[in-house]
Amino acid sequence: FITKRLKLYQYNYIPACLIALQFIFTGIILCNSSKEIYQKHHFSKHQAHHHLVIITEQPKLKGDIARFTVSVKHNVVNQKLLKTSGNLLLAMRYDTTKKFPYRYGDLLLIKSKIKDTEPAYNPAEFNYKRFLAYKQIYHQSFINLKETVKLASEKGNPIISFALKFREKQVEKFKKYLAYEGSK
């Protein structure tokens, strides 16, 4: 009787729209609150002299610079460990006459030289800062190989470690085979 008298049946789409908007806003709030940068134990929220990190991807070597992502496990302040979390993009200068000593899963002690990732400066330029933010990486560091100490190996996922070693062996076999075929 009330819906006929007030003609509410004409506006039956309004509750559905309000419920859809509520779900959209709830999803946005939940996604933003789960970002690692907003957590109180993120490594950038605490001062540190050094960081204890685990290499989470195979280093990419280009010239005398190795770039890779690390997961920060602890901040070191006055020889005390403070448990932290977060990802960091690490660029490391090394001597190209020697083989790069680090690989996936290595536990390193690095000097703290943390900076925010740089934004795009031109309007049509690829926004690398936003790309890294999608991967939960908000900071970067550029250090020399001398400013690091390897503490342990094989701290990463054993399946990924096996796959990376298998890939390296296959690449060596292909290089050997192609060099043999090229000499004929």
Side-chain angles (χ1 to χ4, degrees):
F1 175 75
I2 294 173
T3 57
K4 282 186 180 181
R5 186 158 179 88
L6 297 176
K7 297 183 181 180
L8 292 177
Y9 58 87
Q10 294 176 348
Y11 306 108
N12 60 358
Y13 61 90
I14 291 176
C17 289
L18 290 175
I19 291 171
L21 284 174
Q22 181 182 5
F23 278 119
I24 289 171
F25 288 128
T26 303
I28 290 170
I29 290 169
L30 287 175
C31 285
N32 282 332
S33 66
S34 68
K35 288 184 180 178
E36 187 122 351
I37 190 76
Y38 299 133
Q39 304 299 326
K40 66 179 178 181
H41 52 61
H42 193 265
F43 71 92
S44 64
K45 305 246 188 273
H46 308 283
Q47 292 294 325
H49 302 295
H50 294 85
H51 298 287
L52 221 57
V53 300
I54 295 178
I55 299 176
T56 57
E57 70 177 28
Q58 193 66 13
K60 294 168 186 68
L61 308 175
K62 187 174 182 183
D64 64 343
I65 304 292
R67 291 187 189 280
F68 49 93
T69 305
V70 296
S71 176
V72 180
K73 297 299 180 185
H74 292 88
N75 282 359
V76 180
V77 183
N78 299 327
Q79 270 116 47
K80 292 183 181 177
L81 292 178
L82 175 66
K83 187 166 178 61
T84 57
S85 65
N87 295 320
L88 173 69
L89 179 65
L90 191 62
M92 187 180 297
R93 186 178 304 274
Y94 72 102
D95 186 9
T96 55
T97 60
K98 300 174 185 168
K99 186 178 176 187
F100 188 69
Y102 303 135
R103 52 186 318 136
Y104 172 81
D106 288 347
L107 179 67
L108 305 176
L109 179 68
I110 64 169
K111 190 169 186 177
S112 180
K113 291 184 179 179
I114 307 298
K115 294 190 307 185
D116 290 339
T117 53
E118 295 183 4
Y121 295 111
N122 296 324
E125 185 181 13
F126 175 69
N127 193 343
Y128 193 58
K129 180 176 182 162
R130 184 173 57 179
F131 171 74
L132 289 175
Y134 288 143
K135 297 169 83 177
Q136 300 286 330
I137 301 171
Y138 302 97
H139 297 85
Q140 63 185 0
S141 181
F142 188 83
I143 59 175
N144 291 316
L145 185 64
K146 297 173 187 172
E147 297 173 316
T148 63
V149 177
K150 182 177 178 179
L151 301 176
S153 297
E154 304 294 327
K155 292 291 186 181
N157 186 329
I159 296 171
I160 295 174
S161 182
F162 171 76
L164 290 172
K165 288 176 186 175
F166 182 74
R167 181 177 71 178
E168 285 178 11
K169 289 178 186 175
Q170 294 304 315
V171 168
E172 290 300 319
K173 286 181 183 179
F174 284 129
K175 283 181 183 178
K176 183 179 174 183
Y177 177 73
L178 292 175
Y180 174 74
E181 286 294 321
S183 65
K184 285 186 177 182

